[in-house]
Amino acid sequence: MAASPGRGKTALLRAIAGLWRRGDGRIALPDGATLMFVPPQPYLPAGTLADVLAWPQPAAAFTEPAMIEALTAVGSPELSSRLREASAWAGVLSPGEQQRLQFARVLLHRPGWVFLDESTSALDELSEVSLYRLLHRALPATTIVSIGHRSTLRASHDVEWRLGEPPSARRYLEPDHADGRELPA
């Protein structure tokens, strides 16, 4: 989704998550859908890095090899040796490391739907492209919904919605994401 600031992109995600109660309307999701919301600044609970990576599940829900594989896949293999280390991780990891950690969470949890709200804002564009390609490759059945201002996000999606514009403004992008050419609606 794209729109200028103040159009309600984040409020829409909060409504889908059940966190925004203002206004009225109906949000329908597929029965049994598993959702994961990835904000620009992640929540990093107190505990071991394994606890942080597995959140909101307990660390025991995932094997250590699976955690190492996820961290390596997102470009943070150096964190693998710190899984059992407890710390105040929000003050230890850089914003970019925190965002990579969130992508590793997505890989572990394998949701049916993932909502990414400016989730690569602390990363360079090459890293952003790499992480989106990883999600498409590792989670082919997952629906990825992104909110952001970067035009580079278009290359990672099939459809672009612009909030505040009529449905006819929806743009269908090339399925191979190669050049972002628009297709007729």
Side-chain angles (χ1 to χ4, degrees):
M1 276 179 263
S4 55
R7 291 284 188 151
K9 297 179 299 295
T10 298
L12 175 61
L13 283 193
R14 288 179 180 157
I16 293 168
L19 301 173
W20 187 266
R21 307 258 186 230
R22 294 181 184 176
D24 55 51
R26 184 171 166 261
I27 295 171
L29 297 168
D31 288 337
T34 56
L35 311 177
M36 189 167 196
F37 295 85
V38 182
Q41 183 175 345
Y43 172 66
L44 304 180
T48 67
L49 187 59
D51 293 329
V52 171
L53 183 57
W55 186 86
Q57 298 294 324
F62 304 99
T63 66
E64 191 168 302
M67 291 183 180
I68 291 169
E69 182 179 341
L71 288 169
T72 300
V74 300
S76 295
E78 70 283 353
L79 294 178
S80 297
S81 64
R82 301 178 75 183
L83 285 170
R84 296 174 194 228
E85 183 181 327
S87 188
W89 293 102
V92 172
L93 301 175
S94 73
E97 288 171 319
Q98 292 180 36
Q99 288 185 340
R100 285 181 186 279
L101 189 70
Q102 287 194 115
F103 275 78
R105 275 183 188 160
V106 173
L107 293 176
L108 286 175
H109 289 274
R110 306 184 68 77
W113 292 70
V114 63
F115 296 86
L116 302 163
D117 183 5
E118 298 281 353
S119 301
T120 56
S121 60
L123 298 169
D124 61 77
E125 292 176 358
L126 185 60
S127 295
E128 173 185 273
V129 169
S130 175
L131 288 170
Y132 271 92
R133 283 184 181 155
L134 171 64
L135 289 184
H136 285 293
R137 187 176 59 252
L139 306 173
T142 297
T143 299
I144 300 169
V145 178
S146 298
I147 289 182
H149 297 96
R150 285 185 179 169
S151 62
T152 53
L153 285 174
R154 286 187 185 117
S156 298
H157 296 81
D158 298 324
V159 178
E160 178 182 26
W161 294 351
R162 293 183 168 270
L163 295 182
E165 295 181 8
S168 60
R170 184 178 304 157
R171 298 174 353 141
Y172 295 86
L173 306 172
E174 288 284 348
D176 66 355
H177 313 294
D179 59 13
R181 286 184 292 135
E182 295 178 28
L183 298 174

